[in-house]
Amino acid sequence: MEKTSSSQQQLSFSEFKKEVLQDYKIAVLSRECSLLGRREVLTGKAKFGIFGDGKEIPQLAMAKAFKKGDFRSGYYRDQTFMMAIGELTPQHFFSALYANPNIDADPMSAGRQMGGHYTTHSLDENGKFKNLTEQYNSTCDISPTAGQMPRMLGIAKASKLYRNLPEIKNSKFSNNGNEISWGTIGNASTSEGVFFETINAAGVLQVPFIISIWDDAYGISVPAKYQTTKENISEVLKGFQRDKDNNGYEILKVKGWDYATLINVYNKAAEIARVEHTPVLIHVEELTQPQGHSTSGSHERYKSKERLLWEKQHDCIAKMRDWIIEFDLTDEKGNSLKFIESEEELIRIEKDAKKEVIQAKKTAWKAFINPIKEQKKKLLIILSNLADKSSNKQFIFKLKNELDSTVDALRKDLLSTARKALVYVRNEESIEKKQLQNWIQHYFKTEQPKYSSHLYSETESKAQLVQEVLPTYNQNADLVDGRIIIKDNFDTLFAKHKNLFIFGEDAGNIGDVNQGLVGLQEKYGKLRVADTGIREATIIGQGIGLALRGLRPIAEIQYLDYLLYAIQILSDDLASLHYRSAGKQKAPLIVRTRGHRLEGIWHSGSPMGAIIHLLRGMHVLVPRNMTKAAGFYNTLLESDEPALIVENLNGYRLKEKAPNNFGEFKTPIGVVETVKEGTDLTVLSYGSTLKIVEDIVPNLNQVGINIEIIDAQSLLPFDINHDVVKSIQKTNRLLIVDEDVPGGASSYLLNEILENQNAYQYLDSKPSTLTAKAHRPAYGTDGDYFSKPNAEDIFETIYNIMREVQPSKYKKLY
């Protein structure tokens, strides 16, 4: 407070008093939500609860330093913070607890994530970015421990780019890079590798990044002595502290119950990060968990009586309460300055908070259950009418009465009952049966999307809507190495898209390990074409954060098997982001890597089966050459969806005609290509293995076999036009050639063709797959030959399929 006059001092204190009591109210409100939320779980109305009790006071301080335009990348203890910035109400809190699938009731995820996972809406109703500088921003949380750290780095990196590159200035996304990336994490979660990887990367990059460590000395039941060296993460990280000669972190420590000091610490941290773009680590110590880790257990099982007593004494709200009561200053005239005249004022705040939370709970429950009750009434009438007309009357009435007696029936109970009843009238015909059938079909149509929508974009920018544009060529087009194709296309894209960035190991100075970016860093600068350290998880995290903030990043993972270092971030964060935010956030990151056919255990695996199942929500693209790959980049930059492009390692030095419309030709997403027509057998493959199939065509022709070859091109999605089944209608036979392990991508493709395209009805022979062996590829040329499908394997497999058809023509080979 300024002390220029007694009247100003009184006015300042009055404002300060109002702010303190409002903060206390928010803290108590949040605590009451936690307490009542736990009871709702234990009584069965909610499935699971994980709450922010014990962390309320430091989150109030964090909220005071948090500005519009800033981003939070936190974890599931931050409910008080979200309440303090006005983005979470008690009614929202309980709606999330009940998993209400209405986005207005639960704006955090429309019931798709358990409570405690917080989101703000970055997108408008058309899927376009809102003005993010005019709102408080929270990235959509994930549960996996420390998984929020990598994206936090990218959010901070975006501020650095916006500050240092005037040509990408955009008032919707940044005000001169002043925005801070605020992260939160539990003390035990700092044991995770992605925490240390991110801490190191942020120190290297020097970005506006503040990580708060909520330290309550436990990781569920495991105390700090088993989690952290010295039982103190800020002690461990002292080497990151900046000094007069070296960049690094500002490391601050503060007690989690000390309201006044917390406010000062957070304001100091924000000033450092916002102005200097220096990362800050705030170690918030002596926090508690009044109700334990979650509703799945009691902390009395693993904490001593002494520890439980200490936690009660050091509860942050209790400490703030004592501070408010004890606060007593004297102004220049000798007047006493107090927050309250008596404890009754605090008791009234506490009672009002309890009433507000109870009412919010009731309102949220009614909003959740009443629509189901209305649906239940209609179904009960249908079931009653159906039973009256059925020979299985007693069984249907039994189902109807069981549903009627279920006090708080869920959507699952309704639909399950209806489907069971339908079985009892399967051999009957009646108007009532038709009514039940219509009810079930309508219920699926209206309710299923509440749980399944927005896995992919549903806007006009959807990648599948980008139309194919073929490459065009000059009459005497040069034959060049494939790496030249990809480089020249990237060159055009960087000139065309000022907000395009690419980064990865060796991507900058040497122009990537296969020379697909050679010379581009010199041309476009070290910020747009950047080298990174060997840290795959944070390479992906950088990309997610940049994409969340309106930039168009390409994150390069040097080799396909290195993707496994980042698969958790790709799967749990990027691939599920649009889905788990119910379409309210997007990160159109393009992940670039290369793989297939290199000889040896490392860099030559093709774990496509794992990738396509773990990355649902992304597009997975497998171009056979660099022109096709370049076309995919061109397509994706016209869309708003994330994707993985696996460039063909063998393709960089293979000759291709150089197009004359770089940056314009587009490879369609989800469309296969017939590269050779034939009559005897359909062979489906992709990537480098497809070339081996092409190479054996002359050998097959010599023995009278004419195959049709189809390039999958895109695994997610696969063949949206169902061209493979059209081919099988002609050839009546199918072979899938794949260098993944048995049961990997080939099984996925077989499932797509047989079940989704119903190709089984056109097959005259058993559909076959030819894959790599179950082990990793052994080293060397011989190792490759005996590990992956080779020319002879493919020839003999095709020959034996045809031998089954015409054994007299195709004699047994051996």
Side-chain angles (χ1 to χ4, degrees), residues 530-708:
D531 287 308
T532 70
I534 302 175
R535 43 177 185 257
E536 283 77 14
T538 50
I539 290 172
I540 298 302
Q542 276 185 235
I544 296 171
L546 295 184
L548 280 165
R549 296 193 59 190
L551 300 174
R552 293 310 308 261
I554 300 175
E556 179 169 318
I557 301 296
Q558 197 165 79
Y559 292 107
L560 181 60
D561 55 321
Y562 291 173
L563 199 73
L564 300 182
Y565 283 98
I567 201 71
Q568 184 264 319
I569 303 302
L570 284 165
S571 181
D572 292 330
D573 198 352
L574 180 60
S576 68
L577 173 64
H578 199 56
Y579 168 77
R580 71 179 190 274
S581 68
K584 296 304 180 182
Q585 289 189 356
K586 65 180 177 182
L589 167 63
I590 302 171
V591 181
R592 179 193 186 208
T593 190
R594 51 191 65 82
H596 312 310
R597 300 312 301 187
L598 195 64
E599 297 173 359
I601 289 179
W602 313 117
H603 312 333
S604 58
S606 298
M608 300 308 300
I611 288 168
I612 57 181
H613 293 304
L614 291 170
L615 300 190
R616 300 300 173 102
M618 292 178 66
H619 297 307
V620 176
L621 311 172
V622 283
R624 69 180 183 272
N625 59 38
M626 295 305 141
T627 302
K628 290 290 184 180
F632 277 136
Y633 290 109
N634 299 340
T635 296
L636 290 167
L637 286 171
E638 299 297 324
S639 80
D640 64 356
E641 296 181 280
L644 168 69
I645 298 178
V646 184
E647 294 173 12
N648 180 351
L649 260 171
N650 283 1
Y652 294 111
R653 288 177 173 78
L654 293 179
K655 301 297 183 182
E656 299 181 44
K657 287 171 63 178
N660 60 16
N661 60 337
F662 283 116
E664 301 300 327
F665 60 87
K666 298 177 180 68
T667 309
I669 304 289
V671 177
V672 303
E673 180 180 354
T674 301
V675 296
K676 177 194 174 299
E677 294 191 355
T679 56
D680 294 330
L681 173 70
T682 298
V683 181
L684 172 69
S685 191
Y686 62 88
S688 57
T689 310
L690 187 112
K691 185 177 185 305
I692 305 176
V693 176
E694 290 182 287
D695 289 344
I696 65 164
V697 166
N699 305 74
L700 291 168
N701 289 341
Q702 286 180 356
V703 295
I705 299 174
N706 182 15
I707 63 171
E708 182 147 302

Side-chain angles (χ1 to χ4, degrees), residues 127 137 221 236 243 259 328 446 463 615 639 706 738 757 760 765 799:
N137 299 289
S221 67
V236 172
D243 56 42
Y259 173 80
D328 190 355
T446 59
L615 300 190
S639 80
N706 182 15
D738 175 32
Q757 299 188 13
Y760 64 89
S765 298
Y799 182 91

